[in-house]
Amino acid sequence: MVERKPTAERLSLFSDGVFAIIITILVLELRPPHEASFTALKELWPEGLSYAVSYWFLAVVWINHHHVLRFAETATPRLIWGNFAHLFSVSLIPFTTAWIADSDLGSAPVTLYALVFVAVNVTYLAVCWEAVDRPSHKNSSDRIRRMMRMRSLVTIILFLTAALTAVWFPALGLGIIVFCLLLYVRPDVSEVST
């Protein structure tokens, strides 16, 4: 019998399905106003803001996840388990998004939201380590590996800063979280400049 190695493509397809479910859960938390007026819509600003930020974040996380898995040659057990940990942390986004919306940008929900993104980035680093940083991977340059690692470490620090800031100033904490989005909009930035 021929032994087949698990493919990274299958792992990527599974992950895409999980991301689709997470986005579906996120949108199901949006509830229309009970009144048929634009004034009623205005009162839903916390839900709209937290949904928009979370949807954008999920898009950025998916784009970067997809980008990293391109480098994986096979789905090693470490890559599979790192990916499951990453998907678990990403799956917490709808919960924290709903809590932010229900609390009108409360301190504890924004703090937890930032800590969830610390977990998203830590687990992303684990996926990067296995898919990109492994010494046997010749399809990624040292520059790409350094840039991905550095960007992850910087955003982990920024998310921790956002979590601490949100304890006293939730809106500023959320602003720092949104700023972190900008650092990940282009996952291939290190490749473009080479």
Side-chain angles (χ1 to χ4, degrees):
M1 183 189 292
V2 176
E3 183 182 336
R4 294 184 189 175
K5 293 183 177 181
T7 65
E9 181 181 356
R10 185 157 184 235
L11 183 66
S12 184
L13 290 171
F14 172 79
S15 300
D16 288 349
V18 173
F19 274 102
I21 291 167
I22 292 169
I23 288 174
T24 301
I25 291 168
L26 184 69
V27 76
L28 289 175
E29 290 296 322
L30 280 180
R31 304 275 185 240
H34 296 292
E35 297 174 29
S37 71
F38 288 112
T39 307
L41 259 182
K42 223 166 55 173
E43 294 173 11
L44 297 177
W45 73 266
E47 288 89 346
L49 177 64
S50 60
Y51 173 78
V53 169
S54 294
Y55 188 88
W56 188 19
F57 236 126
L58 284 168
V60 168
V61 170
W62 179 82
I63 289 166
N64 281 274
H65 182 269
H66 179 71
H67 178 75
V68 166
L69 286 185
R70 300 180 314 142
F71 292 99
E73 296 166 356
T74 61
T76 65
R78 279 191 288 215
L79 180 60
I80 292 168
W81 283 110
N83 190 60
F84 269 111
H86 187 59
L87 293 175
F88 173 79
S89 60
V90 171
S91 75
L92 296 172
I93 294 171
F95 169 76
T96 53
T97 299
W99 196 21
I100 287 173
D102 288 346
S103 71
D104 294 336
L105 291 178
S107 174
V110 176
T111 300
L112 182 61
Y113 192 65
L115 293 174
V116 164
F117 281 106
V118 169
V120 168
N121 266 337
V122 168
T123 56
Y124 177 76
L125 270 173
V127 172
C128 284
W129 169 254
E130 192 59 28
V132 180
D133 288 348
R134 300 284 289 174
S136 65
H137 293 197
K138 293 173 179 57
N139 59 351
S140 61
S141 70
D142 287 339
R143 178 180 167 84
I144 290 171
R145 286 189 284 244
R146 263 193 324 275
M147 292 291 289
M148 290 173 116
R149 198 175 323 121
M150 183 56 87
R151 187 171 53 175
S152 291
L153 293 173
V154 166
T155 52
I156 287 170
I157 292 166
L158 285 171
F159 284 128
L160 286 170
T161 303
L164 289 172
T165 303
V167 171
W168 296 281
F169 307 103
L172 182 57
L174 188 61
I176 296 169
I177 292 167
V178 171
F179 173 75
C180 288
L181 281 171
L182 301 175
L183 298 175
Y184 277 96
V185 170
R186 291 281 313 267
D188 62 343
V189 73
S190 57
E191 295 167 44
V192 171
S193 60
T194 55

